[in-house]
Amino acid sequence: MFLQRLNPSIKALTIMILVVLLAFIFEPMTPLLFLIWTVSITFIFGKVNFKKYALYFIPFVIFSFGMLWTSVVFADTPKNQDEIVVLLGMAYPRETLLTALALSIRVLNVAALSLLFVFTTNIVHFILSMMQQLRLPPKIAYAVLAGYRFLPMMRDEIKLIHDAHRIRGVNQAKTVTEKWNNYKRYSIPLLASAIRKAERTAIAMESKGFTGDKNRTFYRQFTVKKTDWLFPLIMLTGFLAALLAS
Amino acid sequence: MKPFVEVCDLSLRFETNQKNIFSNINFELYQGETVLLLGPSGSGKSTLTSCLNGIFPRELDGEMDGDIFIDGRKVSDYKPGELSKKVGVVFQDPETQFCMLTVEDEVAFGLENIGVPHVEMEAKIDDVLSLVHLSEFKESNVSTLSGGQKQKLALACILALDPSLIILDEPTANLDPIATKDVIQTINMLKKKMSFGLIIIEHKLDGWTDLAERCLLLNRRGEIFYDGSLREAIRDQRLQLAEQGIWLPKISQYLLENNPELIDLPLTVEEFTEYPSKWGYIEQEKSKQNLPVQVNPILETRNLSWSAKKREIVKNVSLTFYEGEFVAIVGANGSGKTSLSRILAGIQKPDCGNTLLKGKPLNEWKESLLRQEIGYVFQNPEHQFITNSVYDEVAFSLKIKNISVEAIQDKVHLILEAFGLLELKDEHPFSISQGQKRRLSVATMIVDDQSFLLLDEPTFGQDANSNAELMHLLQQRHQSNSTIIMITHDMEIVDHYATRVIVINNGKVVADTPPDRLWEMDSRKLKEWQLELPVRVQIQNIYEKEKDAYYVFTTS
Amino acid sequence: MTNWRFKEIVVMAALSVVFGVVYLAFLPLGGVLAGIFGPIGYDFIFGIWFIVSIIAAYIIRKPGAAFLSETIAAMVEVLIGNAIGPMLIVTGMVQGIGAEAVFAATRWKNYSTWVLMAAGVGSAVTSFIYGYFMSGYAALAPGYVTAMFIVRMISGALIAGLLGKALSDGLAQTGVLSSFALGKEYRKRKAA
């Protein structure tokens, strides 16, 4: 699919630019139209699983709703207090309501843009591309990849530590201090093991000739093709159209 | 011919220590030569590895004296990374040698480091993966590989860089016997095809003796006390070897124990088989102490089953454990041993079936009372440590009960002394040695007089001395009428200590007998369960075959 | 980066990975608090999101540790795939700069408790300025915004600064930091 084949760095940069642009919009229409645009592009060019997408999107909906009501309740006093909208038997200044709406839809729009990225990007490819296109130092890139490999091991380890501590008779914390001590008992072995693993991995990587030199060859080469520029073009056009339409 | 490796008067001291980790190391190694590097834990074997591949002194916090020449050049004259084309290392821990997610990317990582052009990579990757028989896993995730496969992948990554010397730094210490064999076989096969030299660092010698005639022996102070043929070392340096806690091959060890007068010793069972009478006849002592009478059931299970991720891991297990038994649970990796033991200890709830401890279902026990009855020692001792000192660690379970301070002190003191940990009582549990950690974890599990002790592979990855100390402690425990259940891969331990052995295969109990009975079972069955006979029984069988042959010979 | 050992970079990355996960785990809690108290709910626990800066800098003690660790933690949050997307990397950088600036002010020499707390406050300041524009705090009442700011600074000092120090010291006791700046200092203190 088009979105999956896209150069990950171009994709990420485009999305960042769009998020920044969205930050300057304080009316609800543009983000709403652009939200529809973003979601459509995701499904048309990304072949994304709808159920999974919805599952990830729902928390943002809840968050955006929280944003909506707090922005109304805790709002700054608007300049124009004449226009009043009555909602659920309460009166609100129209300006306040519109700003609140704009903020909450912005949250949704940012979420949609992120999900577009997350659902269509292979993380290893993203890091490799950042190294090749965005000059991310190889030392950091490979350190992150190495660290990333620890995640599943740590998940198993948490479970083990939990059981091992239970055997020792610790997990009956009732007060806050006991709970805090319990957390500390968990975190120290977990972090200690992560640090040791990291040290060993670093030595193994160096003994395979890794020096962090920027002149390395790549098994998976990432380049920017002409078609990659289509994505920023499509998205910026969409944003401009949304801006003009509202 | 110039030697490929030349180590001259090498000494090294860490900032953290007063004493040198090793001193005055001198040896030479020629192109293509294989040598075994043996020594007790802490004799600096792995540190030496870091010196040979150029990590030290660059990354060293401490001082290093002396010189190392590789291929005629001083190690310090190589640019960082350059040495990886001359010296490759396979490390001990299969989990921490990789930085990429898939097998092909991992092999590629090394090639990228040394600047192999993109167009040549694919072919090289295919090449080395087929060498170690991992071709079908090219696109697999590294995390889905077994421990043995990971070590073979580590080897492939090194082979891709085509070094003249490969250092194997305890490559099988974290593997079970089957995977160990597989890795050793792979290296044997590669050695026949290729011309690289090898330095093999290992605790257990079995399987490696065919590869190397020469050995270097290090003592606890980190000095080479012997450089020469392994066979002659075993003949002439016996006392030293034992003193330093260096393992002999199983067969040599066994023959020596039974016949200390023997001068020459075979290094492999095959060698023994060729001419058994050469090594003198060994009187087989018929089975050990009397088996305990199975009278007082302590733990009973009925129809236990448990599934995880839609896979049935424990299938319909009904077992009864009696007071005073020493039970070994054996079986291939992934057969469900650990899961079963966790259910027995009440850490894991089964999907169905129940477990009775002293006649009362586990789920009706109060957690704190249950833990006074059953101790469970995890594979990694660190997971069980919760305090900041060895003393507190042992005292912990007493402190959460209302026992007087003096009583706690006395008891902890007694246990620490028995476990050889008294001098370390103020150390942090994470900072003591592997063997000490293991003993500490056992100590914490019996301080409350738990009479039922479960252990998950407690002898894994330890040197000969720590192993002997641990087994001695467990045996003492057993003699004072505790019940011990132990998961293990080590058939020598099963043969030597267990009164009963339970074989698990695919989640089911397929055998439950005294060990002697197990060794008499059909060899095809044992093979299917991935069990090996202990050396004692192998020898016995060889004698019997000999006798039969003799009989056939004389009667015909 | 040239005076960093590769080992230190990987360890920093590993810490960042761990805390990247922790950061994600605290998002729902922030959400709940925000549901009750409004946007200020996040500020109560905002310090947790700076903690890796303090820990990495305190352990490794090299220029860039605070900034890089926070950036990588954010990257990891993106990689795990359940966050605010690539933009979060910028958020991480902004937070990291705040702490880094405080350490820079001591020329990366002083790692006392007060400096660590100040670094937590530093992250709070930069992250707040960034949030003010990106999340539209401008639309909220000034008194409310001021309250948010103060709460966030306190949270940065306590959760990131003090808690971060406590965890690092706990780690130093285990001996696993023996080849890092904090472990070496700890050893000296013990020997003395």
Side-chain angles (χ1 to χ4, degrees):
Chain A
M1 287 309 288
F2 175 66
L3 285 179
Q4 272 85 349
R5 278 198 307 268
L6 215 55
N7 182 291
S9 297
I10 297 281
K11 203 176 352 179
L13 284 181
T14 309
I15 284 170
M16 284 187 180
I17 292 168
L18 290 167
V19 173
V20 173
L21 287 177
L22 278 170
F24 293 100
I25 309 290
F26 287 92
E27 44 85 21
M29 219 31 207
T30 310
L32 183 65
L33 288 175
F34 190 57
L35 173 65
I36 296 167
W37 181 258
T38 310
V39 175
S40 316
I41 295 284
T42 310
F43 282 96
I44 296 168
F45 295 110
K47 204 181 171 190
V48 169
N49 181 320
F50 179 76
K51 255 192 194 159
K52 214 173 149 196
Y53 188 88
L55 204 69
Y56 275 74
F57 202 73
I58 285 167
F60 290 105
V61 175
I62 298 167
F63 176 62
S64 124
F65 186 75
M67 192 85 189
L68 179 69
W69 78 259
T70 49
S71 312
V72 172
V73 176
F74 300 106
D76 200 356
T77 327
K79 289 171 206 114
N80 184 350
Q81 302 208 15
D82 303 339
E83 288 181 71
I84 297 289
V85 178
V86 177
L87 204 68
L88 300 170
M90 296 269 281
Y92 301 100
R94 185 183 139 86
E95 199 185 307
T96 302
L97 209 61
L98 283 181
T99 317
L101 214 56
L103 287 183
S104 53
I105 297 176
R106 184 199 291 173
V107 168
L108 289 182
N109 204 338
V110 170
L113 284 167
S114 313
L115 292 184
L116 182 152
F117 181 82
V118 165
F119 273 84
T120 63
T121 314
N122 176 313
I123 51 163
V124 176
H125 295 177
F126 179 42
I127 293 185
L128 291 174
S129 159
M130 278 206 282
M131 203 169 11
Q132 294 171 40
Q133 269 83 54
L134 302 179
R135 293 169 184 276
L136 178 71
K139 273 191 182 174
I140 294 183
Y142 285 100
V144 172
L145 282 170
Y148 187 74
R149 280 200 68 244
F150 298 155
L151 275 184
M153 296 183 217
M154 278 180 201
R155 200 178 42 212
D156 297 344
E157 220 166 339
I158 290 179
K159 172 106 180 60
L160 273 173
I161 293 174
H162 172 85
D163 290 345
H165 286 188
R166 204 175 120 204
I167 288 282
R168 299 289 311 272
V170 271
N171 283 315
Q172 293 122 336
K174 283 178 197 82
T175 66
V176 180
T177 7
E178 279 172 12
K179 277 203 176 124
W180 157 240
N181 279 332
N182 266 356
Y183 276 120
K184 208 172 145 190
R185 283 193 195 109
Y186 265 62
S187 51
I188 299 290
L190 208 63
L191 287 173
S193 125
I195 287 171
R196 258 200 296 249
K197 282 198 182 93
E199 279 190 281
R200 283 202 291 260
T201 308
I203 287 182
M205 287 165 77
E206 283 192 300
S207 78
K208 280 188 233 178
F210 182 73
T211 56
D213 188 4
K214 286 188 179 130
N215 295 317
R216 55 189 287 118
T217 50
F218 286 101
Y219 178 54
R220 295 184 197 275
Q221 287 178 325
F222 288 87
T223 49
V224 179
K225 297 180 292 291
K226 276 191 190 135
T227 44
D228 287 325
W229 296 108
L230 268 174
F231 180 66
L233 199 71
I234 294 174
M235 293 310 278
L236 287 172
T237 314
F239 185 78
L240 227 64
L243 195 66
L244 291 176
S246 54
Chain B
M1 198 171 92
K2 268 194 82 82
F4 182 72
V5 180
E6 219 182 328
V7 180
C8 312
D9 287 325
L10 193 72
S11 299
L12 191 141
R13 190 174 61 83
F14 285 117
E15 221 173 65
T16 42
N17 293 59
Q18 300 280 312
K19 282 186 233 142
N20 283 1
I21 180 94
F22 53 67
S23 315
N24 300 320
I25 302 282
N26 282 292
F27 68 91
E28 290 172 352
L29 199 69
Y30 286 88
Q31 189 82 41
E33 200 184 344
T34 302
V35 65
L36 279 162
L37 182 61
L38 308 172
S41 314
S43 58
K45 303 186 296 289
S46 299
T47 314
L48 189 57
T49 306
S50 298
C51 297
L52 288 171
N53 74 352
I55 302 275
F56 287 169
R58 193 158 29 95
E59 299 258 329
L60 173 70
D61 293 317
E63 283 167 48
M64 182 174 139
D65 294 316
D67 283 312
I68 301 176
F69 296 89
I70 304 254
D71 209 4
R73 264 167 84 195
K74 248 192 190 177
V75 165
S76 48
D77 291 344
Y78 283 90
K79 275 188 253 130
E82 206 184 343
L83 210 52
S84 65
K85 285 183 257 181
K86 306 266 181 194
V87 181
V89 188
V90 176
F91 294 93
Q92 173 180 351
D93 184 359
E95 304 303 331
T96 55
Q97 300 188 46
F98 309 117
C99 62
M100 301 299 287
L101 297 187
T102 69
V103 168
E104 52 180 333
D105 283 317
E106 190 57 50
V107 181
F109 173 71
L111 297 172
E112 295 171 349
N113 290 340
I114 60 167
V116 171
H118 175 78
V119 285
E120 295 170 22
M121 281 189 196
E122 183 104 42
K124 280 215 164 154
I125 295 171
D126 290 339
D127 228 30
V128 292
L129 286 180
S130 84
L131 272 177
V132 299
H133 305 304
L134 286 178
S135 297
E136 54 182 311
F137 297 102
K138 186 180 171 192
E139 282 160 36
S140 303
N141 229 313
V142 176
S143 60
T144 60
L145 301 184
S146 71
Q149 288 168 333
K150 280 183 187 142
Q151 290 303 63
K152 289 203 280 182
L153 172 60
L155 190 61
C157 293
I158 298 303
L159 289 173
L161 306 182
D162 200 20
S164 311
L165 173 67
I166 296 180
I167 304 176
L168 305 171
D169 191 352
E170 302 192 32
T172 66
N174 291 19
L175 303 181
D176 65 71
I178 300 295
T180 300
K181 255 192 172 167
D182 184 26
V183 168
I184 296 178
Q185 253 169 26
T186 308
I187 290 167
N188 254 312
M189 181 261 305
L190 289 171
K191 188 72 182 98
K192 277 181 196 130
K193 279 192 204 162
M194 303 163 89
S195 61
F196 53 79
L198 265 180
I199 297 182
I200 303 163
I201 302 174
E202 268 292 1
H203 275 310
K204 300 200 175 183
L205 286 178
D206 294 275
W208 296 107
T209 49
D210 289 342
L211 268 163
E213 244 307 286
R214 179 178 166 200
C215 70
L216 291 170
L217 303 179
L218 285 165
N219 61 21
R220 270 199 198 84
R221 290 190 304 274
E223 297 154 346
I224 292 184
F225 70 89
Y226 180 86
D227 177 358
S229 126
L230 175 66
R231 192 174 296 275
E232 281 162 27
I234 292 179
R235 193 183 62 201
D236 306 332
Q237 306 280 332
R238 251 172 232 177
L239 228 66
Q240 283 265 41
L241 283 167
E243 230 167 67
Q244 298 299 334
I246 299 174
W247 295 87
L248 301 185
K250 279 185 208 162
I251 179 98
S252 330
Q253 181 69 34
Y254 182 78
L255 291 175
L256 197 60
E257 270 165 22
N258 287 283
N259 191 355
E261 308 293 304
L262 272 177
I263 295 172
D264 282 306
L265 287 168
L267 302 181
T268 60
V269 174
E270 287 72 29
E271 198 182 333
F272 177 86
T273 320
E274 260 173 42
Y275 194 11
S277 50
K278 181 180 168 190
W279 318 104
Y281 184 74
I282 284 168
E283 205 60 53
Q284 296 275 344
E285 90 272 39
K286 196 52 213 153
S287 81
K288 33 205 165 203
Q289 69 272 71
N290 293 331
L291 298 178
V293 209
Q294 299 186 324
V295 272
N296 299 325
I298 177 162
L299 192 80
E300 292 166 80
T301 74
R302 288 190 213 116
N303 310 98
L304 289 181
S305 293
W306 183 65
S307 310
K309 288 176 192 152
K310 290 182 184 159
R311 208 169 66 87
E312 221 181 348
I313 294 179
V314 175
K315 294 175 194 160
N316 201 19
V317 171
S318 302
L319 288 166
T320 305
F321 297 96
Y322 297 90
E323 213 175 273
E325 281 190 307
F326 195 128
V327 186
I329 300 184
V330 299
N333 265 357
S335 57
K337 303 186 297 289
T338 298
S339 306
L340 175 63
S341 72
R342 292 162 66 88
I343 296 173
L344 293 179
I347 311 169
Q348 182 65 56
K349 274 206 184 94
D351 295 334
C352 58
N354 53 23
T355 312
L356 305 175
L357 176 68
K358 296 186 169 167
K360 189 166 140 189
L362 271 190
N363 51 16
E364 287 174 23
W365 281 81
K366 219 183 127 200
E367 179 93 19
S368 54
L369 290 176
L370 183 63
R371 296 300 151 222
Q372 270 176 52
E373 298 286 336
I374 302 183
Y376 188 100
V377 178
F378 281 70
Q379 224 180 70
N380 178 353
E382 281 187 8
H383 287 151
Q384 283 181 287
F385 296 156
I386 46 191
T387 67
N388 291 331
S389 79
V390 169
Y391 180 91
D392 288 338
E393 203 57 51
V394 180
F396 181 85
S397 45
L398 301 176
K399 277 183 184 162
I400 50 179
K401 297 196 300 187
N402 296 323
I403 303 178
S404 78
V405 183
E406 293 79 36
I408 292 180
Q409 260 177 9
D410 290 347
K411 199 158 192 184
V412 174
H413 198 90
L414 221 63
I415 288 203
L416 285 179
E417 191 154 37
F419 279 65
L421 295 168
L422 199 54
E423 282 171 35
L424 302 165
K425 69 181 168 58
D426 297 322
E427 297 294 315
H428 196 283
F430 277 64
S431 65
I432 57 182
S433 79
Q434 270 308 316
Q436 291 160 346
K437 277 180 198 164
R438 172 59 69 199
R439 292 207 294 279
L440 178 58
S441 70
V442 176
T444 61
M445 280 298 121
I446 58 171
V447 65
D448 216 356
D449 296 319
Q450 290 93 333
S451 56
F452 188 82
L453 193 59
L454 282 140
L455 305 105
D456 190 358
E457 298 195 47
T459 56
F460 212 64
Q462 301 207 64
D463 66 20
N465 276 347
S466 343
N467 214 352
E469 278 164 25
L470 177 72
M471 288 317 297
H472 178 69
L473 286 168
L474 288 178
Q475 203 174 21
Q476 276 182 346
R477 223 39 226 172
H478 178 227
Q479 275 155 5
S480 58
N481 217 27
S482 286
T483 311
I484 290 175
I485 301 182
M486 183 167 143
I487 297 177
T488 185
H489 282 296
D490 190 335
M491 294 304 137
E492 310 301 323
I493 287 180
V494 176
D495 189 49
H496 208 270
Y497 297 97
T499 60
R500 173 181 170 192
V501 53
I502 293 170
V503 185
I504 309 284
N505 192 33
N506 285 326
K508 275 193 264 199
V509 175
V510 288
D512 179 359
T513 76
D516 287 340
R517 213 68 60 69
L518 180 68
W519 313 139
E520 287 161 13
M521 284 176 133
D522 190 351
S523 62
R524 271 167 305 178
K525 269 205 171 135
L526 294 180
K527 201 165 181 188
E528 185 199 326
W529 301 335
Q530 302 195 5
L531 303 178
E532 267 194 337
L533 291 177
V535 164
R536 179 185 67 83
V537 180
Q538 287 184 34
I539 290 181
Q540 201 176 338
N541 290 350
I542 293 164
Y543 282 148
E544 252 149 50
K545 242 187 233 156
E546 276 274 300
K547 242 188 268 163
D548 291 349
Y550 183 71
Y551 183 73
V552 172
F553 178 74
T554 46
T555 50
S556 61
Chain C
M1 280 282 29
T2 41
N3 64 342
W4 282 65
R5 286 185 181 174
F6 183 56
K7 191 164 75 176
E8 291 171 325
I9 300 178
V10 182
V11 166
M12 176 185 70
L15 288 171
S16 305
V17 168
V18 175
F19 283 98
V21 178
V22 172
Y23 288 3
L24 275 181
F26 272 86
L27 276 179
L29 177 62
V32 171
L33 288 173
I36 302 168
F37 300 105
I40 201 171
Y42 279 103
D43 294 293
F44 289 117
I45 57 162
F46 223 100
I48 193 75
W49 288 298
F50 315 142
I51 198 167
V52 79
S53 275
I54 284 36
I55 293 178
Y58 183 45
I59 290 177
I60 300 171
R61 306 194 174 182
K62 291 210 168 141
F67 172 71
L68 284 171
S69 57
E70 193 67 33
T71 308
I72 296 173
M75 226 157 102
V76 170
E77 282 181 86
V78 177
L79 295 182
I80 300 171
N82 190 7
I84 309 156
M87 204 54 203
L88 193 75
I89 299 178
V90 179
T91 316
M93 289 170 142
V94 169
Q95 296 175 352
I97 283 173
E100 191 70 50
V102 173
F103 292 118
T106 76
R107 299 180 143 262
W108 295 281
K109 293 251 157 57
N110 188 338
Y111 291 87
S112 66
T113 313
W114 290 109
V115 173
L116 297 181
M117 286 171 76
V121 174
S123 290
V125 172
T126 46
S127 82
F128 197 84
I129 296 171
Y130 176 77
Y132 187 83
F133 293 105
M134 293 309 289
S135 310
Y137 296 160
L140 301 173
Y144 191 79
V145 175
T146 314
M148 281 171 74
F149 186 46
I150 293 170
V151 171
R152 188 176 300 188
M153 287 197 292
I154 295 172
S155 173
L158 296 182
I159 301 185
L162 284 186
L163 182 61
K165 182 178 157 50
L167 275 176
S168 314
D169 287 336
L171 268 174
Q173 281 180 10
T174 66
V176 295
L177 298 178
S178 64
S179 56
F180 300 88
L182 176 62
K184 287 179 189 171
E185 188 201 73
Y186 185 81
R187 208 162 52 233
K188 268 186 212 142
R189 226 185 305 152
K190 213 177 159 190

